[in-house]
Amino acid sequence: MSKIDERYKEACIICEEKKERGIHIFSEFICWECEQNIVHTETDENKYRYYVDKLQKISQSKLYS
Ligand SMILES: [Zn+2]
């Protein structure tokens, strides 16, 4: 029985859940599920705006930190 080591999990900046699979944008972690959502929300304007706003806030906070 294999248990995933908590140290390999990172908190996703969008859903705020700890996941072991994902990508890094602006050195922040986005889980695989959220990344797939972003990729597939091009036609959903409101959802897309939500993700873009989140990412812009992160990039801005990096600039001023
Ligand atoms: Zn997520």
Side-chain angles (χ1 to χ4, degrees):
M1 188 177 147
S2 65
K3 189 176 167 286
I4 296 158
D5 195 320
E6 287 293 318
R7 286 175 300 180
Y8 295 113
K9 291 189 176 184
E10 289 185 72
C12 170
I13 51 111
I14 291 171
C15 66
E16 290 165 4
E17 283 178 46
K18 285 203 163 189
K19 302 281 176 69
E20 74 273 21
R21 280 176 62 187
I23 56 157
H24 288 93
I25 297 175
F26 305 122
S27 76
E28 298 292 339
F29 180 74
I30 296 175
C31 75
W32 187 83
E33 285 88 345
C34 289
E35 195 260 331
Q36 291 299 299
N37 283 338
I38 294 167
V39 170
H40 294 116
T41 46
E42 282 150 293
T43 52
D44 190 331
E45 191 69 24
N46 288 332
K47 256 184 156 180
Y48 184 72
R49 287 298 310 168
Y50 171 78
Y51 288 122
V52 169
D53 284 350
K54 276 247 181 193
L55 291 174
Q56 281 177 342
K57 282 196 185 96
I58 294 156
S59 59
Q60 279 165 17
S61 70
K62 292 288 170 205
L63 284 176
Y64 296 118
S65 66

